[in-house]
Amino acid sequence: APLKLIYFDIPGKAEAIRLCASVGKVDFEDVRISRERFAEMKEQGALPYGQVPALDVGAGRMLAQSSAILRYVATLGGLHPSDPLEAARIDSIMSEEEDFFSGITISRYSARFGYGHMSEEFRAEVRKNLNDEILPKHLRFLEGLLADSKTGWLAGTEKPSAADFVFVPRLRWLVSGANDGIDGNLLDGYPKIKELIAKLMALPAVVEWYAKNPPPQ
């Protein structure tokens, strides 16, 4: 039986996994649940850590945490290197993605992180700091990685790696207008990042995926 990837009907934290599985030709069922179904599954204790995405691998086993699922799917699809140092380099870039987006995540889901009292004024101030200082610093790191890459992929791999799959959908979402206070032109000064996004989105398996699964409007 194919793997079952469980998430909401949005790109979110599952999009990297969906794209990686498509490119790696990993057979999976894309299970998109309602908020009500999510609440039921959480109540039943079906989700480790009470979160999605989750990957049902069969025999009653459920894998949680998006980065772990992504590495597993990349490994199954022949997109995660067996060399320990190469794998660690990809892991480090995936950890950078978590650092990159932590401020956005906390300001977006403040109550989840103990900041339920965050005022709109303070949130706007945080977003301005992120837009003007914090995110450009991280974008410079990424642009530097790509300047050093001979292949156009973040870790310099021959094929796209988990690092590329996690960053591209998140960067597209960052400047999509979904995040108040974040400039839609934020990526304009980073040509290699824009090339990376175009390169991944042009992969035949990715084009085919979006033709069959257009993102919800």
Side-chain angles (χ1 to χ4, degrees), residues 32-211:
R32 304 198 182 203
I33 60 172
S34 65
R35 298 281 168 179
E36 293 74 22
R37 177 67 184 131
F38 170 62
E40 286 171 12
M41 292 180 77
K42 201 156 64 161
E43 188 73 23
Q44 293 160 358
L47 300 169
Y49 318 118
Q51 294 174 332
V52 288
L55 188 72
D56 184 342
V57 298
R61 294 172 300 174
M62 193 79 82
L63 186 61
Q65 297 292 4
S66 55
S67 57
I69 297 170
L70 179 56
R71 284 187 192 92
Y72 176 62
V73 168
T75 302
L76 293 180
L79 298 170
H80 202 58
S82 55
D83 177 82
L85 187 56
E86 280 184 41
R89 181 169 165 75
I90 290 166
D91 290 347
S92 78
I93 300 170
M94 292 173 72
S95 295
E96 161 59 12
E97 185 270 337
E98 292 167 13
D99 285 352
F100 188 118
F101 284 95
S102 58
I104 290 284
T105 303
I106 292 167
S107 60
R108 190 179 182 88
Y109 303 108
S110 48
R112 187 188 300 173
F113 295 95
Y115 294 96
H117 57 284
M118 188 184 285
S119 68
E120 286 308 312
E121 292 80 10
F122 183 61
R123 193 188 316 276
E125 193 181 319
V126 168
R127 289 292 175 90
K128 180 165 175 35
N129 287 338
L130 288 168
N131 186 79
D132 296 353
E133 296 177 34
I134 309 297
L135 296 176
K137 176 186 75 174
H138 286 286
L139 288 167
R140 288 193 294 273
F141 290 153
L142 287 193
E143 192 77 2
L145 287 176
L146 290 165
D148 291 340
S149 170
K150 293 180 172 59
T151 63
W153 301 119
L154 280 165
T157 47
E158 285 302 316
K159 298 176 184 175
S161 75
D164 303 296
F165 288 114
V166 76
F167 256 115
V168 167
R170 295 284 275 166
L171 289 167
R172 294 180 77 225
W173 169 78
L174 178 68
V175 296
S176 67
N179 298 288
D180 290 347
I182 304 303
D183 187 350
N185 299 316
L186 191 63
L187 304 183
D188 280 3
Y190 306 94
K192 292 192 180 303
I193 291 175
K194 295 184 91 166
E195 285 169 21
L196 168 71
I197 294 170
K199 184 177 171 75
L200 190 124
M201 295 301 292
L203 292 173
V206 171
V207 172
E208 186 180 343
W209 171 258
Y210 281 120

